[in-house]
Amino acid sequence: MAKKKKGSNRRKSSGNKRPFAALLITVLLIILAFYLLEKTKRGASEKPAEKPQVSERLKMPSHPAPQAAKHAAYSAAVVAPVARVRPKPHPTGSGTVAIIVDDMGSSMQEVRSLMAIDIPVTFSIIPGLAKSKGVAEAAHGNGGEVMVHMPMEPKGYPKQRMEKNGLLLSESDEEIAAKVKAYLQAVPYAVGANNHMGSRFTENEEKMQSVLKVLKGREMFFVDSKTSPASVGYSLARKMGLKAGTRQVFLDNVQNVAAIKAQLQQVADTARKRGSAIAICHPHQTTIQALSSMLPALKKDGITFVYASQLVS
């Protein structure tokens, strides 16, 4: 009976050890699972550690920026908008312009420079100057057009100086007519005339009539330079049956190339709006420079340049 008891205790003891081993294995597996899970988390969190390497490279001055990056920065600087005053747009299209160059007759070089532009300009020559006849012959020989630039009494005379052969209000109609005929003799090939100065003379209808009678007898036209807004020259010429025109723009009151170019643009704009325009200028070096630059450009833009005789009616 005693031996049986011992065997039964051994089996009981061995049966108690199995659940404990199973529990231990389970615990170990759980611990292992937690360990692996934690390691996986740590590995995932360590991947973005590459970012500091980029910032470290950017901080290193010894490494120049790639060429493409330089171009991108340069392009951005170029295309960035710059605040500026935009010029007013000018009308486009066709228009007809006649340019009269006053005060010709003192230099042959002036007429050569103007003819070299190879665009029609009308030469208005003051009678009695040293080269008056030579300038008229050169212009005519080159196919150009000649006018007489008649000196007339200005406001402020005699303080305001004038040519010695100029027309005066104090002169008789016969004296005025004789002077005008002498002008035409001194300037060969002239087909028309305009006033030089004359801000006072052109306001006087009686004296202007004496001038215009001579021009009408020679079938010449008259262009009113409009040195006075009260001039009767244009309206009287039309009334008397002469072909006539009037100046729209003075080009070179300001002796500056940029200013003269702006006035030329104004003439072109006026011609496009009205159909035609007459401009007056003088043979200054700055004026010749501006004409040489602008006339070909305006012609290319659709402006037609003609002689003054083609714009009188």
Side-chain angles (χ1 to χ4, degrees):
M1 289 291 293
K3 282 181 185 177
K4 266 184 188 180
K5 211 170 192 178
K6 275 183 187 178
S8 123
N9 286 342
R10 214 181 284 122
R11 281 195 303 271
K12 203 183 274 189
S13 171
S14 145
N16 289 339
K17 283 180 183 177
R18 281 186 194 135
F20 176 78
L23 180 62
L24 182 62
I25 290 169
T26 303
V27 170
L28 287 173
L29 288 172
I30 291 170
I31 291 170
L32 180 62
F34 272 108
Y35 171 76
L36 292 173
L37 181 63
E38 191 63 28
K39 189 174 180 181
T40 303
K41 284 182 180 177
R42 273 202 304 270
S45 64
E46 285 173 2
K47 279 182 184 178
E50 293 175 5
K51 288 182 180 177
Q53 294 176 7
V54 176
S55 61
E56 286 300 319
R57 282 200 301 271
L58 293 174
K59 288 178 185 177
M60 292 174 68
S62 59
H63 289 267
Q67 196 68 19
K70 282 185 179 178
H71 286 193
Y74 180 77
S75 299
V78 171
V79 298
V82 178
R84 65 181 184 276
V85 178
R86 293 185 180 277
K88 292 180 181 178
H90 296 288
T92 56
S94 61
T96 306
V97 171
I99 294 178
I100 300 172
V101 185
D102 280 354
D103 294 3
M104 296 295 292
S106 61
S107 164
M108 293 301 296
Q109 183 55 48
E110 292 168 353
V111 71
R112 291 189 192 104
S113 298
L114 288 162
M115 289 189 299
I117 301 172
D118 200 27
I119 284 177
V121 295
T122 301
F123 299 98
S124 192
I125 301 168
I126 297 176
L129 296 184
K131 305 291 182 182
S132 294
K133 188 176 180 182
V135 169
E137 289 172 343
H140 178 75
N142 195 56
E145 186 166 88
V146 176
M147 290 173 59
V148 179
H149 199 32
M150 299 184 294
M152 297 181 180
E153 182 178 333
K155 290 178 180 176
Y157 178 83
K159 265 190 175 180
Q160 174 69 50
R161 295 178 64 189
M162 182 186 69
E163 282 71 19
K164 291 180 181 179
N165 60 347
L167 304 176
L168 299 172
L169 290 175
S170 60
E171 295 173 327
S172 67
D173 293 347
E174 291 75 16
E175 288 174 315
I176 290 169
K179 279 189 175 180
V180 173
K181 289 174 184 176
Y183 295 162
L184 304 183
Q185 189 70 28
V187 182
Y189 309 111
V191 293
N194 69 330
N195 55 293
H196 170 52
M197 306 178 82
S199 54
R200 178 179 286 163
F201 194 96
T202 57
E203 293 179 353
N204 189 297
E205 186 168 329
E206 181 188 345
K207 300 301 179 184
M208 280 300 297
Q209 194 166 22
S210 300
V211 174
L212 296 173
K213 275 182 182 178
V214 177
L215 298 182
K216 185 178 180 182
R218 304 290 181 93
E219 296 184 345
M220 298 172 72
F221 64 84
F222 177 73
V223 173
D224 194 339
S225 300
K226 278 287 181 183
T227 54
S228 165
S231 172
V232 299
Y234 173 73
S235 58
L236 182 60
R238 293 295 304 273
K239 187 178 177 181
M240 292 175 62
L242 279 79
K243 287 188 175 181
T246 185
R247 181 270 313 163
Q248 274 75 52
V249 180
F250 275 124
L251 296 178
D252 53 2
N253 283 342
V254 177
Q255 278 299 294
N256 175 278
V257 173
I260 297 166
K261 285 183 176 182
Q263 290 298 95
L264 281 163
Q265 186 63 64
Q266 184 183 335
V267 174
D269 293 350
T270 302
R272 285 177 175 126
K273 290 174 186 174
R274 297 176 72 252
S276 64
I278 296 174
I280 287 178
C281 61
H282 306 84
H284 305 300
Q285 190 58 44
T286 48
T287 304
I288 294 172
Q289 187 179 341
L291 293 174
S292 299
S293 171
M294 281 290 284
L295 296 193
L298 290 174
K299 182 180 178 181
K300 191 176 179 181
D301 286 343
I303 295 297
T304 301
F305 290 96
V306 298
Y307 295 117
S309 60
Q310 294 169 264
L311 291 188
V312 294
S313 59

Short mmCIF file of all heavy atoms in Angstrom, two decimals, residues 105-164:
data_model
loop_
_atom_site.label_atom_id
_atom_site.label_comp_id
_atom_site.label_asym_id
_atom_site.label_seq_id
_atom_site.Cartn_x
_atom_site.Cartn_y
_atom_site.Cartn_z
N GLY A 105 19.83 129.15 -96.30
CA GLY A 105 20.51 130.15 -97.12
C GLY A 105 21.85 130.61 -96.59
O GLY A 105 22.54 131.40 -97.26
N SER A 106 22.24 130.14 -95.42
CA SER A 106 23.53 130.58 -94.87
C SER A 106 24.62 129.54 -95.02
O SER A 106 25.79 129.83 -94.81
CB SER A 106 23.38 130.96 -93.39
OG SER A 106 22.94 129.85 -92.64
N SER A 107 24.25 128.28 -95.38
CA SER A 107 25.24 127.20 -95.44
C SER A 107 24.85 126.17 -96.48
O SER A 107 23.69 125.74 -96.55
CB SER A 107 25.35 126.53 -94.07
OG SER A 107 26.00 125.29 -94.15
N MET A 108 25.82 125.75 -97.26
CA MET A 108 25.59 124.68 -98.23
C MET A 108 25.60 123.32 -97.53
O MET A 108 24.95 122.38 -97.99
CB MET A 108 26.66 124.71 -99.32
CG MET A 108 26.58 125.93 -100.23
SD MET A 108 24.99 126.09 -101.09
CE MET A 108 24.99 124.63 -102.10
N GLN A 109 26.34 123.21 -96.44
CA GLN A 109 26.42 121.94 -95.73
C GLN A 109 25.05 121.52 -95.19
O GLN A 109 24.71 120.34 -95.17
CB GLN A 109 27.44 122.02 -94.59
CG GLN A 109 27.65 120.70 -93.84
CD GLN A 109 28.05 119.56 -94.76
OE1 GLN A 109 28.94 119.70 -95.60
NE2 GLN A 109 27.38 118.43 -94.63
N GLU A 110 24.27 122.50 -94.75
CA GLU A 110 22.94 122.20 -94.21
C GLU A 110 22.05 121.54 -95.26
O GLU A 110 21.38 120.53 -94.98
CB GLU A 110 22.29 123.49 -93.70
CG GLU A 110 22.97 124.09 -92.48
CD GLU A 110 22.50 125.49 -92.17
OE1 GLU A 110 21.74 126.07 -92.99
OE2 GLU A 110 22.90 126.02 -91.11
N VAL A 111 22.05 122.08 -96.45
CA VAL A 111 21.19 121.53 -97.49
C VAL A 111 21.68 120.13 -97.89
O VAL A 111 20.88 119.23 -98.16
CB VAL A 111 21.08 122.48 -98.71
CG1 VAL A 111 22.38 122.54 -99.51
CG2 VAL A 111 19.93 122.06 -99.63
N ARG A 112 22.99 119.93 -97.91
CA ARG A 112 23.52 118.60 -98.24
C ARG A 112 23.11 117.56 -97.19
O ARG A 112 22.72 116.44 -97.52
CB ARG A 112 25.05 118.66 -98.35
CG ARG A 112 25.55 119.45 -99.55
CD ARG A 112 27.05 119.29 -99.73
NE ARG A 112 27.58 120.26 -100.69
CZ ARG A 112 28.26 121.35 -100.36
NH1 ARG A 112 28.52 121.61 -99.09
NH2 ARG A 112 28.69 122.18 -101.29
N SER A 113 23.22 117.94 -95.91
CA SER A 113 22.86 117.01 -94.82
C SER A 113 21.38 116.65 -94.88
O SER A 113 21.01 115.49 -94.67
CB SER A 113 23.19 117.64 -93.46
OG SER A 113 24.57 117.88 -93.34
N LEU A 114 20.55 117.62 -95.19
CA LEU A 114 19.10 117.37 -95.24
C LEU A 114 18.73 116.54 -96.46
O LEU A 114 17.87 115.65 -96.39
CB LEU A 114 18.35 118.70 -95.24
CG LEU A 114 18.37 119.43 -93.89
CD1 LEU A 114 18.01 120.90 -94.06
CD2 LEU A 114 17.41 118.77 -92.90
N MET A 115 19.38 116.79 -97.58
CA MET A 115 19.09 116.00 -98.79
C MET A 115 19.56 114.56 -98.63
O MET A 115 19.00 113.64 -99.23
CB MET A 115 19.74 116.64 -100.02
CG MET A 115 19.06 117.93 -100.45
SD MET A 115 19.64 118.58 -102.07
CE MET A 115 21.38 118.87 -101.74
N ALA A 116 20.59 114.35 -97.80
CA ALA A 116 21.13 113.00 -97.59
C ALA A 116 20.14 112.08 -96.88
O ALA A 116 20.25 110.86 -96.95
CB ALA A 116 22.43 113.08 -96.80
N ILE A 117 19.14 112.65 -96.19
CA ILE A 117 18.12 111.83 -95.52
C ILE A 117 17.29 111.08 -96.57
O ILE A 117 16.73 110.02 -96.30
CB ILE A 117 17.21 112.71 -94.63
CG1 ILE A 117 18.05 113.44 -93.57
CG2 ILE A 117 16.13 111.87 -93.94
CD1 ILE A 117 17.27 114.47 -92.77
N ASP A 118 17.23 111.66 -97.78
CA ASP A 118 16.54 111.03 -98.91
C ASP A 118 15.04 110.87 -98.66
O ASP A 118 14.43 109.87 -99.05
CB ASP A 118 17.18 109.67 -99.25
CG ASP A 118 16.84 109.22 -100.66
OD1 ASP A 118 16.60 110.09 -101.51
OD2 ASP A 118 16.81 108.00 -100.91
N ILE A 119 14.47 111.86 -97.98
CA ILE A 119 13.02 111.92 -97.76
C ILE A 119 12.60 113.36 -98.06
O ILE A 119 13.31 114.29 -97.68
CB ILE A 119 12.65 111.52 -96.32
CG1 ILE A 119 12.75 110.00 -96.18
CG2 ILE A 119 11.24 111.97 -95.94
CD1 ILE A 119 12.49 109.47 -94.80
N PRO A 120 11.48 113.59 -98.75
CA PRO A 120 11.12 114.95 -99.14
C PRO A 120 11.01 115.93 -97.98
O PRO A 120 10.28 115.69 -97.00
CB PRO A 120 9.74 114.77 -99.80
CG PRO A 120 9.73 113.36 -100.26
CD PRO A 120 10.51 112.60 -99.23
N VAL A 121 11.78 117.02 -98.07
CA VAL A 121 11.60 118.18 -97.19
C VAL A 121 11.61 119.42 -98.08
O VAL A 121 12.25 119.43 -99.15
CB VAL A 121 12.70 118.29 -96.10
CG1 VAL A 121 12.63 117.13 -95.13
CG2 VAL A 121 14.09 118.40 -96.71
N THR A 122 10.90 120.45 -97.67
CA THR A 122 10.81 121.67 -98.45
C THR A 122 11.74 122.72 -97.85
O THR A 122 11.68 122.97 -96.64
CB THR A 122 9.36 122.19 -98.47
OG1 THR A 122 8.51 121.18 -99.04
CG2 THR A 122 9.23 123.45 -99.30
N PHE A 123 12.58 123.33 -98.68
CA PHE A 123 13.56 124.29 -98.21
C PHE A 123 13.00 125.71 -98.37
O PHE A 123 12.74 126.16 -99.49
CB PHE A 123 14.86 124.16 -99.02
CG PHE A 123 15.50 122.80 -98.88
CD1 PHE A 123 15.29 121.82 -99.84
CD2 PHE A 123 16.29 122.49 -97.78
CE1 PHE A 123 15.88 120.56 -99.71
CE2 PHE A 123 16.88 121.24 -97.65
CZ PHE A 123 16.67 120.27 -98.62
N SER A 124 12.83 126.41 -97.24
CA SER A 124 12.36 127.79 -97.28
C SER A 124 13.54 128.71 -97.00
O SER A 124 14.11 128.71 -95.90
CB SER A 124 11.25 128.00 -96.24
OG SER A 124 10.60 129.23 -96.46
N ILE A 125 13.91 129.50 -98.00
CA ILE A 125 15.19 130.23 -98.01
C ILE A 125 14.96 131.72 -97.77
O ILE A 125 14.12 132.35 -98.43
CB ILE A 125 15.90 130.01 -99.36
CG1 ILE A 125 16.13 128.50 -99.58
CG2 ILE A 125 17.21 130.78 -99.43
CD1 ILE A 125 16.56 128.14 -100.99
N ILE A 126 15.73 132.27 -96.83
CA ILE A 126 15.67 133.71 -96.56
C ILE A 126 16.43 134.43 -97.67
O ILE A 126 17.61 134.18 -97.89
CB ILE A 126 16.29 134.06 -95.19
CG1 ILE A 126 15.48 133.39 -94.06
CG2 ILE A 126 16.33 135.58 -94.99
CD1 ILE A 126 16.07 133.60 -92.68
N PRO A 127 15.78 135.36 -98.39
CA PRO A 127 16.47 136.08 -99.47
C PRO A 127 17.52 137.03 -98.90
O PRO A 127 17.33 137.62 -97.84
CB PRO A 127 15.34 136.86 -100.16
CG PRO A 127 14.26 136.98 -99.12
CD PRO A 127 14.36 135.76 -98.27
N GLY A 128 18.65 137.11 -99.61
CA GLY A 128 19.69 138.04 -99.20
C GLY A 128 20.79 137.42 -98.38
O GLY A 128 21.80 138.08 -98.10
N LEU A 129 20.67 136.15 -97.97
CA LEU A 129 21.75 135.50 -97.23
C LEU A 129 22.86 135.08 -98.20
O LEU A 129 22.63 134.96 -99.41
CB LEU A 129 21.23 134.28 -96.46
CG LEU A 129 20.21 134.55 -95.35
CD1 LEU A 129 19.85 133.26 -94.62
CD2 LEU A 129 20.71 135.60 -94.36
N ALA A 130 24.04 134.81 -97.66
CA ALA A 130 25.23 134.57 -98.49
C ALA A 130 25.05 133.41 -99.46
O ALA A 130 25.55 133.45 -100.59
CB ALA A 130 26.43 134.32 -97.59
N LYS A 131 24.34 132.34 -99.05
CA LYS A 131 24.21 131.15 -99.89
C LYS A 131 22.78 130.92 -100.39
O LYS A 131 22.43 129.81 -100.80
CB LYS A 131 24.66 129.91 -99.09
CG LYS A 131 26.07 130.00 -98.50
CD LYS A 131 27.12 129.98 -99.58
CE LYS A 131 28.52 130.02 -98.98
NZ LYS A 131 29.57 130.05 -100.02
N SER A 132 21.96 131.95 -100.36
CA SER A 132 20.55 131.78 -100.73
C SER A 132 20.38 131.17 -102.12
O SER A 132 19.65 130.20 -102.31
CB SER A 132 19.82 133.13 -100.69
OG SER A 132 19.76 133.62 -99.38
N LYS A 133 21.08 131.74 -103.09
CA LYS A 133 20.95 131.26 -104.47
C LYS A 133 21.53 129.85 -104.61
O LYS A 133 20.92 128.98 -105.26
CB LYS A 133 21.65 132.22 -105.43
CG LYS A 133 21.40 131.91 -106.89
CD LYS A 133 22.02 132.96 -107.80
CE LYS A 133 21.75 132.62 -109.27
NZ LYS A 133 22.39 133.62 -110.18
N GLY A 134 22.68 129.60 -104.00
CA GLY A 134 23.32 128.29 -104.10
C GLY A 134 22.48 127.19 -103.48
O GLY A 134 22.37 126.08 -104.02
N VAL A 135 21.86 127.49 -102.33
CA VAL A 135 20.99 126.50 -101.67
C VAL A 135 19.78 126.20 -102.55
O VAL A 135 19.38 125.04 -102.71
CB VAL A 135 20.55 127.00 -100.27
CG1 VAL A 135 19.45 126.12 -99.70
CG2 VAL A 135 21.74 127.05 -99.32
N ALA A 136 19.18 127.24 -103.14
CA ALA A 136 18.02 127.05 -104.01
C ALA A 136 18.38 126.18 -105.21
O ALA A 136 17.64 125.27 -105.59
CB ALA A 136 17.49 128.41 -104.48
N GLU A 137 19.53 126.44 -105.80
CA GLU A 137 19.96 125.67 -106.97
C GLU A 137 20.26 124.22 -106.61
O GLU A 137 19.91 123.30 -107.35
CB GLU A 137 21.19 126.34 -107.60
CG GLU A 137 20.85 127.65 -108.30
CD GLU A 137 22.09 128.42 -108.76
OE1 GLU A 137 23.21 128.10 -108.28
OE2 GLU A 137 21.92 129.33 -109.61
N ALA A 138 20.91 124.02 -105.44
CA ALA A 138 21.24 122.65 -105.00
C ALA A 138 19.97 121.85 -104.71
O ALA A 138 19.85 120.68 -105.11
CB ALA A 138 22.12 122.70 -103.76
N ALA A 139 19.03 122.48 -104.01
CA ALA A 139 17.78 121.79 -103.67
C ALA A 139 17.00 121.45 -104.94
O ALA A 139 16.53 120.31 -105.12
CB ALA A 139 16.94 122.65 -102.75
N HIS A 140 16.87 122.42 -105.83
CA HIS A 140 16.13 122.19 -107.08
C HIS A 140 16.81 121.14 -107.94
O HIS A 140 16.16 120.27 -108.53
CB HIS A 140 16.00 123.51 -107.85
CG HIS A 140 15.31 123.37 -109.16
ND1 HIS A 140 13.93 123.21 -109.25
CD2 HIS A 140 15.79 123.35 -110.45
CE1 HIS A 140 13.59 123.10 -110.52
NE2 HIS A 140 14.70 123.19 -111.27
N GLY A 141 18.15 121.21 -108.00
CA GLY A 141 18.90 120.25 -108.81
C GLY A 141 18.78 118.83 -108.29
O GLY A 141 18.95 117.86 -109.05
N ASN A 142 18.46 118.69 -107.01
CA ASN A 142 18.30 117.36 -106.40
C ASN A 142 16.83 116.91 -106.43
O ASN A 142 16.47 115.91 -105.83
CB ASN A 142 18.81 117.39 -104.96
CG ASN A 142 19.03 116.00 -104.38
OD1 ASN A 142 19.77 115.20 -104.95
ND2 ASN A 142 18.35 115.72 -103.27
N GLY A 143 15.99 117.67 -107.12
CA GLY A 143 14.58 117.31 -107.21
C GLY A 143 13.75 117.80 -106.04
O GLY A 143 12.58 117.42 -105.88
N GLY A 144 14.35 118.66 -105.18
CA GLY A 144 13.64 119.16 -104.01
C GLY A 144 12.77 120.37 -104.34
O GLY A 144 12.72 120.85 -105.48
N GLU A 145 12.10 120.86 -103.30
CA GLU A 145 11.18 121.99 -103.48
C GLU A 145 11.70 123.21 -102.71
O GLU A 145 12.21 123.09 -101.59
CB GLU A 145 9.78 121.62 -102.97
CG GLU A 145 8.74 122.68 -103.24
CD GLU A 145 7.33 122.16 -103.05
OE1 GLU A 145 6.83 122.22 -101.92
OE2 GLU A 145 6.74 121.66 -104.05
N VAL A 146 11.53 124.39 -103.34
CA VAL A 146 12.06 125.64 -102.79
C VAL A 146 10.92 126.62 -102.51
O VAL A 146 10.00 126.76 -103.32
CB VAL A 146 13.07 126.28 -103.77
CG1 VAL A 146 13.56 127.63 -103.24
CG2 VAL A 146 14.25 125.34 -104.01
N MET A 147 11.01 127.28 -101.36
CA MET A 147 10.09 128.36 -101.01
C MET A 147 10.91 129.60 -100.61
O MET A 147 12.09 129.50 -100.30
CB MET A 147 9.20 127.95 -99.82
CG MET A 147 8.18 126.88 -100.14
SD MET A 147 7.31 126.30 -98.64
CE MET A 147 6.56 127.82 -98.05
N VAL A 148 10.22 130.76 -100.60
CA VAL A 148 10.83 131.99 -100.11
C VAL A 148 10.37 132.21 -98.67
O VAL A 148 9.17 132.18 -98.39
CB VAL A 148 10.43 133.21 -100.97
CG1 VAL A 148 11.06 134.48 -100.39
CG2 VAL A 148 10.85 133.00 -102.40
N HIS A 149 11.34 132.42 -97.79
CA HIS A 149 11.04 132.68 -96.37
C HIS A 149 11.09 134.20 -96.17
O HIS A 149 12.13 134.78 -95.92
CB HIS A 149 12.09 131.97 -95.52
CG HIS A 149 11.68 131.76 -94.10
ND1 HIS A 149 10.37 131.57 -93.70
CD2 HIS A 149 12.42 131.73 -92.95
CE1 HIS A 149 10.33 131.40 -92.40
NE2 HIS A 149 11.55 131.51 -91.91
N MET A 150 9.93 134.84 -96.29
CA MET A 150 9.85 136.30 -96.34
C MET A 150 9.95 136.92 -94.95
O MET A 150 9.08 136.67 -94.10
CB MET A 150 8.53 136.74 -97.00
CG MET A 150 8.37 136.25 -98.42
SD MET A 150 6.86 136.87 -99.22
CE MET A 150 5.60 136.05 -98.24
N PRO A 151 10.97 137.76 -94.69
CA PRO A 151 11.09 138.41 -93.38
C PRO A 151 9.99 139.47 -93.21
O PRO A 151 9.78 140.30 -94.10
CB PRO A 151 12.48 139.07 -93.41
CG PRO A 151 13.16 138.54 -94.62
CD PRO A 151 12.08 138.11 -95.59
N MET A 152 9.28 139.41 -92.07
CA MET A 152 8.21 140.36 -91.80
C MET A 152 8.33 140.88 -90.37
O MET A 152 8.84 140.19 -89.49
CB MET A 152 6.84 139.69 -91.99
CG MET A 152 6.55 139.22 -93.42
SD MET A 152 4.90 138.48 -93.54
CE MET A 152 4.84 138.02 -95.26
N GLU A 153 7.82 142.04 -90.16
CA GLU A 153 7.95 142.72 -88.88
C GLU A 153 7.35 141.91 -87.72
O GLU A 153 6.18 141.54 -87.77
CB GLU A 153 7.29 144.10 -88.95
CG GLU A 153 7.42 144.92 -87.69
CD GLU A 153 6.80 146.30 -87.81
OE1 GLU A 153 6.71 146.84 -88.95
OE2 GLU A 153 6.38 146.85 -86.77
N PRO A 154 8.14 141.68 -86.67
CA PRO A 154 7.61 140.98 -85.49
C PRO A 154 7.13 141.97 -84.43
O PRO A 154 7.43 143.17 -84.49
CB PRO A 154 8.85 140.24 -84.98
CG PRO A 154 9.98 141.16 -85.29
CD PRO A 154 9.59 141.88 -86.57
N LYS A 155 6.42 141.48 -83.47
CA LYS A 155 6.07 142.31 -82.31
C LYS A 155 7.35 142.60 -81.52
O LYS A 155 8.19 141.73 -81.38
CB LYS A 155 5.04 141.58 -81.44
CG LYS A 155 3.69 141.47 -82.09
CD LYS A 155 2.70 140.72 -81.23
CE LYS A 155 1.35 140.65 -81.96
NZ LYS A 155 0.35 139.85 -81.23
N GLY A 156 7.46 143.84 -81.03
CA GLY A 156 8.67 144.20 -80.30
C GLY A 156 9.72 144.85 -81.17
O GLY A 156 10.78 145.26 -80.67
N TYR A 157 9.47 144.93 -82.51
CA TYR A 157 10.42 145.60 -83.40
C TYR A 157 10.44 147.10 -83.07
O TYR A 157 9.38 147.68 -82.79
CB TYR A 157 10.01 145.37 -84.85
CG TYR A 157 10.89 146.05 -85.87
CD1 TYR A 157 12.08 145.48 -86.28
CD2 TYR A 157 10.53 147.30 -86.39
CE1 TYR A 157 12.90 146.11 -87.20
CE2 TYR A 157 11.35 147.93 -87.31
CZ TYR A 157 12.53 147.34 -87.71
OH TYR A 157 13.34 147.97 -88.62
N PRO A 158 11.60 147.78 -83.05
CA PRO A 158 12.92 147.34 -83.51
C PRO A 158 13.77 146.66 -82.43
O PRO A 158 14.89 146.23 -82.74
CB PRO A 158 13.56 148.65 -83.95
CG PRO A 158 12.98 149.67 -83.06
CD PRO A 158 11.57 149.23 -82.78
N LYS A 159 13.28 146.58 -81.17
CA LYS A 159 14.07 145.85 -80.17
C LYS A 159 14.25 144.40 -80.61
O LYS A 159 15.32 143.83 -80.46
CB LYS A 159 13.36 145.90 -78.81
CG LYS A 159 13.83 147.00 -77.91
CD LYS A 159 13.25 146.80 -76.52
CE LYS A 159 13.83 147.88 -75.58
NZ LYS A 159 13.30 147.72 -74.21
N GLN A 160 13.20 143.81 -81.10
CA GLN A 160 13.28 142.47 -81.68
C GLN A 160 13.91 142.59 -83.07
O GLN A 160 13.35 143.22 -83.96
CB GLN A 160 11.87 141.87 -81.79
CG GLN A 160 11.79 140.54 -82.50
CD GLN A 160 12.43 139.42 -81.70
OE1 GLN A 160 12.15 139.25 -80.53
NE2 GLN A 160 13.31 138.68 -82.36
N ARG A 161 15.08 142.05 -83.22
CA ARG A 161 15.84 142.24 -84.46
C ARG A 161 15.20 141.51 -85.63
O ARG A 161 14.53 140.50 -85.47
CB ARG A 161 17.27 141.76 -84.26
CG ARG A 161 18.06 142.58 -83.25
CD ARG A 161 19.45 142.03 -83.05
NE ARG A 161 20.23 142.13 -84.29
CZ ARG A 161 21.42 141.58 -84.46
NH1 ARG A 161 21.98 140.87 -83.49
NH2 ARG A 161 22.07 141.73 -85.60
N MET A 162 15.46 142.03 -86.83
CA MET A 162 14.92 141.44 -88.06
C MET A 162 15.91 141.74 -89.19
O MET A 162 16.72 142.67 -89.11
CB MET A 162 13.55 142.06 -88.36
CG MET A 162 12.88 141.50 -89.60
SD MET A 162 11.34 142.38 -90.01
CE MET A 162 11.97 143.97 -90.54
N GLU A 163 15.86 140.95 -90.25
CA GLU A 163 16.72 141.20 -91.42
C GLU A 163 16.47 142.61 -91.96
O GLU A 163 15.34 143.12 -91.92
CB GLU A 163 16.43 140.18 -92.53
CG GLU A 163 17.07 138.81 -92.31
CD GLU A 163 16.41 138.02 -91.18
OE1 GLU A 163 15.28 138.35 -90.82
OE2 GLU A 163 17.04 137.08 -90.68
N LYS A 164 17.50 143.21 -92.50
CA LYS A 164 17.42 144.60 -93.01
C LYS A 164 16.44 144.73 -94.17
O LYS A 164 15.88 145.81 -94.40
CB LYS A 164 18.80 145.08 -93.44
CG LYS A 164 19.76 145.28 -92.28
CD LYS A 164 21.11 145.75 -92.79
CE LYS A 164 22.08 145.92 -91.62
NZ LYS A 164 23.43 146.36 -92.07
#
